[in-house]
Amino acid sequence: MIEKEVFLNYVEAFEDAFLSNDWSKLLPCFTTDVVHDTGRGEEITGRDAVIDYLRESTEGFDRSFDSRTPTFGQVTVRENQVSSPWRFIYKKEGAPELVATGVEVAEISGQSISRLNSVFDEGVPERTQEWLERYGTLL
């Protein structure tokens, strides 16, 4: 069940990178030609480009909040594909919690992720946009 371990190592490395701002911790998590479907209609190719995207997206969004609490659900493995539901709760003083949910799907090649897809649950992008329109000035 190496695929599950590879995915869980990525989840842990991502949180370590976010907290320490040392994004090099993600290097072993991805193949050099990894493809990331961001869930926002973008597809990014290449390990360095994917790591840059993850760093920039968290800098521009997650760090704007007072706190963020990620949780991942049961990891399912089917051949070389791993998936796990996720939930992020973002808090900002003066605003209600912003909750984002979805599923992370990763294809594993050897000891690394070769494809990463972030799939938002239905309505999440719209609710996030509404939250930003109403409370974005607090960020």
Side-chain angles (χ1 to χ4, degrees):
M1 187 99 52
I2 185 113
E3 291 85 1
K4 182 177 180 177
E5 291 174 30
V6 169
F7 179 77
L8 292 174
N9 286 341
Y10 160 69
V11 169
E12 184 178 327
F14 183 93
E15 286 307 305
D16 286 348
F18 177 77
L19 293 172
S20 67
N21 209 25
D22 178 4
W23 293 91
S24 68
K25 293 180 178 193
L26 291 178
L27 288 170
C29 297
F30 298 118
T31 61
T32 57
D33 60 348
V34 62
V35 176
H36 177 42
D37 180 337
T38 68
R40 297 180 185 152
E42 297 174 83
E43 195 170 88
I44 299 164
T45 302
R47 181 172 54 200
D48 292 341
V50 168
I51 292 172
D52 285 346
Y53 170 81
L54 295 171
R55 180 183 47 76
E56 290 169 7
S57 67
T58 59
E59 287 297 320
F61 188 77
D62 298 48
R63 290 195 194 282
S64 300
F65 289 84
D66 297 332
S67 69
R68 109 195 212 296
T69 306
T71 56
F72 283 81
Q74 181 175 348
V75 177
T76 304
V77 179
R78 183 172 287 147
E79 295 180 13
N80 72 328
Q81 190 175 74
V82 179
S83 62
S84 175
W86 50 262
R87 175 183 172 102
F88 279 70
I89 300 173
Y90 298 93
K91 294 182 181 181
K92 186 68 175 179
E93 188 174 332
E97 291 180 345
L98 173 60
V99 179
T101 56
V103 176
E104 205 72 8
V105 180
E107 290 180 19
I108 310 300
S109 293
Q111 301 278 329
S112 303
I113 296 171
S114 59
R115 182 167 188 90
L116 184 66
N117 295 340
S118 300
V119 182
F120 292 96
D121 285 343
E122 187 174 326
V124 169
E126 295 81 6
R127 285 192 305 276
T128 301
Q129 185 59 40
E130 289 171 9
W131 190 98
L132 288 169
E133 289 171 3
R134 189 162 185 183
Y135 303 103
T137 58
L138 298 173
L139 299 178

